[in-house]
């Protein structure tokens, strides 16, 4: 492990409305990181405090502005006094701090997503909307791009993984959050249709994942690898149980993963992402 300090940063607004596990996020990260930096959009109730948690309140940009997500994260990054920095949303839990020893300080490194779905021990895979990796680990300051990535130059190296609890929150809150996000993307002409909004009326129905994300599939993940704080609070993330799904790294999981990785839609997605990052990647 590197002797250099490591901090995590994010922003938060209506965390109760959208059922973000902010209390768990603050507690867990304050125990494993040297510093935790959090920007709040307006006055926000803070459910957990510690000496190494830095919090600052700011006036947010308009919610329909794409900069709504980047602004708070950049402000939070500026609060950190650590050498290495890791960007995580307040519903994302890193498995462990990566080994940063001997990494190139000029590059931004990637973390692998584990997209939980319906309950704490199920992962959803096989759709481009559930990202596989994201550049989040960097030395010094970087610009924020998109909703949750850090500017380059980039390394292709994956240095760790995190568990994304976005789709294991209260199904009513989940509908509200995704409805708002899809509407914003429609307004920005990122999506050309609103057909998926029909699945977000009332509470979200976890059983319809194949309709909502065609081609997606589920696996049962190894809970021994998960952050302990999630397992200790598993009742907060249990909304739907799936039967007879393949286990992580089983033959069925491997074959499905290979099939998806070589599919036209995935190859097209990877090529588009590569072109987007090409000028700043190593």
């Amino acid at each position: 492990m590197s002797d250099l300090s490591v901090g995590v940063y994010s922003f938060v607004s209506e965390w109760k409305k959208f059922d973000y596990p902010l209390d768990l996020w603050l507690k867990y990260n304050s125990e494993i990181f040297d510093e935790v930096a959090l920007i709040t959009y307006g006055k926000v109730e803070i459910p957990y405090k510690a000496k190494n948690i830095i919090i600052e309140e700011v006036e947010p940009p308009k919610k329909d502005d794409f900069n709504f997500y980047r602004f708070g994260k950049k402000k939070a990054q500026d609060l950190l006094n650590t050498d290495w920095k890791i960007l995580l949303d307040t519903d994302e839990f890193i498995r462990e701090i990566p080994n940063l020893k001997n990494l190139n300080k000029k590059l931004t490194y990637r973390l692998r997503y584990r997209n939980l779905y319906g309950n704490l021990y199920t992962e959803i895979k096989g759709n481009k909307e559930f990202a596989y990796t994201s550049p989040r680990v960097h030395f010094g300051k970087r610009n924020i791009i998109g909703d949750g990535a850090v500017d380059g130059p980039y390394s292709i190296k994956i240095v760790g993984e995190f568990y994304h609890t976005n789709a294991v929150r209260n199904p009513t809150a989940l509908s509200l959050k995704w409805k708002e996000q899809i509407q914003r993307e429609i307004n920005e002409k990122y999506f050309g249709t609103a057909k998926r909004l029909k699945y977000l009326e009332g509470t979200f129905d976890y059983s319809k994942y194949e309709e909502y994300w065609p081609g997606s599939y589920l696996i049962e993940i190894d809970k021994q690898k998960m952050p302990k704080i999630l397992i200790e609070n598993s009742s907060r993330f249990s909304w739907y149980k799936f039967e007879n799904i393949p286990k992580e790294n089983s033959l069925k999981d491997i074959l499905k993963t290979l099939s998806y990785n070589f599919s036209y839609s995935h190859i097209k997605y990877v090529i588009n992402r590569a072109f987007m990052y090409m000028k700043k990647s190593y």
Side-chain angles (χ1 to χ4, degrees), residues 114 116 120-121 123 163 219-223 226 248:
R114 303 301 303 267
L116 305 179
L120 204 59
Y121 308 127
E123 180 178 4
Y163 292 83
I219 64 166
E220 180 184 335
I221 63 176
D222 183 359
K223 66 180 180 181
M226 302 186 72
E248 179 181 353

Side-chain angles (χ1 to χ4, degrees), residues 121-256:
Y121 308 127
T122 301
E123 180 178 4
I124 187 167
K125 303 174 70 176
N127 191 283
K128 65 183 179 180
E129 289 182 42
F130 289 94
Y132 177 62
T133 66
S134 182
R136 304 287 193 94
V137 182
H138 59 98
F139 188 92
K141 295 186 178 182
R142 293 282 199 280
N143 289 324
I144 308 298
I145 59 174
D147 280 359
V150 181
D151 202 0
Y154 299 101
S155 169
I156 62 172
K157 185 175 183 179
I158 299 171
V159 297
E161 64 182 20
F162 64 88
Y163 292 83
H164 192 196
T165 65
N166 175 37
V168 287
R169 70 184 76 207
N170 179 306
T172 301
L174 182 60
S175 288
L176 289 172
K177 180 182 182 297
W178 278 345
K179 201 170 188 178
E180 183 178 272
Q181 181 173 328
I182 291 171
Q183 190 60 60
R184 176 173 62 86
E185 291 169 340
I186 291 170
N187 293 342
E188 294 166 359
K189 297 181 171 55
Y190 184 74
F191 285 111
T193 176
K195 66 180 182 180
R196 293 192 307 159
L197 291 174
K198 71 178 182 179
Y199 294 103
L200 302 176
E201 298 299 333
T203 58
F204 184 76
D205 185 347
Y206 285 104
S207 68
K208 294 184 177 180
Y209 67 95
E210 291 177 301
E211 296 178 35
Y212 195 80
W213 298 287
S216 60
Y217 67 96
L218 307 177
I219 64 166
E220 180 184 335
I221 63 176
D222 183 359
K223 66 180 180 181
Q224 299 302 320
K225 297 179 180 179
M226 302 186 72
K228 187 177 179 181
I229 197 166
L230 293 181
I231 296 174
E232 291 172 344
N233 293 274
S234 61
S235 61
R236 290 175 58 171
F237 306 103
S238 300
W239 302 104
Y240 197 94
K241 182 172 176 58
F242 299 92
E243 303 290 346
N244 302 317
I245 58 176
K247 293 183 181 297
E248 179 181 353
N249 295 325
S250 66
L251 178 60
K252 190 172 182 179
D253 175 31
I254 293 170
L255 291 176
K256 280 182 171 290

Side-chain angles (χ1 to χ4, degrees), residues 5 38 106 150 161 189 196 207 252 264 272-273 277:
S5 57
L38 183 71
K106 295 180 180 179
V150 181
E161 64 182 20
K189 297 181 171 55
R196 293 192 307 159
S207 68
K252 190 172 182 179
Y264 170 76
N272 288 339
R273 297 285 288 187
Y277 292 143

Side-chain angles (χ1 to χ4, degrees), residues 28-156:
Y28 178 68
N29 288 324
S30 68
E31 292 172 352
I32 66 171
F33 285 96
D34 296 302
E35 286 185 357
V36 178
L38 183 71
I39 287 291
T40 70
Y41 279 175
K43 192 171 185 61
V44 173
E45 179 185 341
I46 303 300
Y48 184 87
K49 296 181 180 180
K51 289 183 179 180
N52 62 337
I53 298 176
I54 308 166
I55 297 174
E56 184 175 301
E57 178 184 332
V58 301
E59 286 297 317
K62 291 181 179 179
K63 203 156 193 178
D64 58 356
D65 183 348
F66 195 72
N67 197 45
F68 181 85
Y69 295 90
R70 288 182 285 191
F71 176 77
K73 292 172 182 176
K74 184 63 174 70
K75 283 280 189 182
Q77 181 190 134
D78 292 341
L79 291 178
L80 281 180
N81 302 299
T82 56
D83 302 303
W84 285 92
K85 300 170 174 59
I86 299 179
L87 169 61
L88 291 174
D89 288 345
T90 54
D91 59 358
E92 298 171 344
F93 292 78
I94 199 165
R95 178 179 169 185
E96 59 188 2
I97 296 179
N99 185 352
L100 305 175
K101 188 177 182 180
N102 299 325
L103 293 186
N104 188 332
K105 297 176 183 176
K106 295 180 180 179
L107 301 182
T108 300
Y109 291 86
R110 300 174 185 276
L111 294 175
R112 178 182 287 113
Y113 275 89
R114 303 301 303 267
N115 292 294
L116 305 179
Y117 184 79
N119 65 76
L120 204 59
Y121 308 127
T122 301
E123 180 178 4
I124 187 167
K125 303 174 70 176
N127 191 283
K128 65 183 179 180
E129 289 182 42
F130 289 94
Y132 177 62
T133 66
S134 182
R136 304 287 193 94
V137 182
H138 59 98
F139 188 92
K141 295 186 178 182
R142 293 282 199 280
N143 289 324
I144 308 298
I145 59 174
D147 280 359
V150 181
D151 202 0
Y154 299 101
S155 169
I156 62 172

Side-chain angles (χ1 to χ4, degrees), residues 8-24:
V8 65
Y9 63 98
S10 193
F11 87 101
V12 70
S13 55
E14 302 171 284
W15 67 272
K16 283 190 172 181
K17 175 182 177 181
F18 297 119
D19 196 29
Y20 278 81
L22 181 61
D23 55 333
L24 305 183

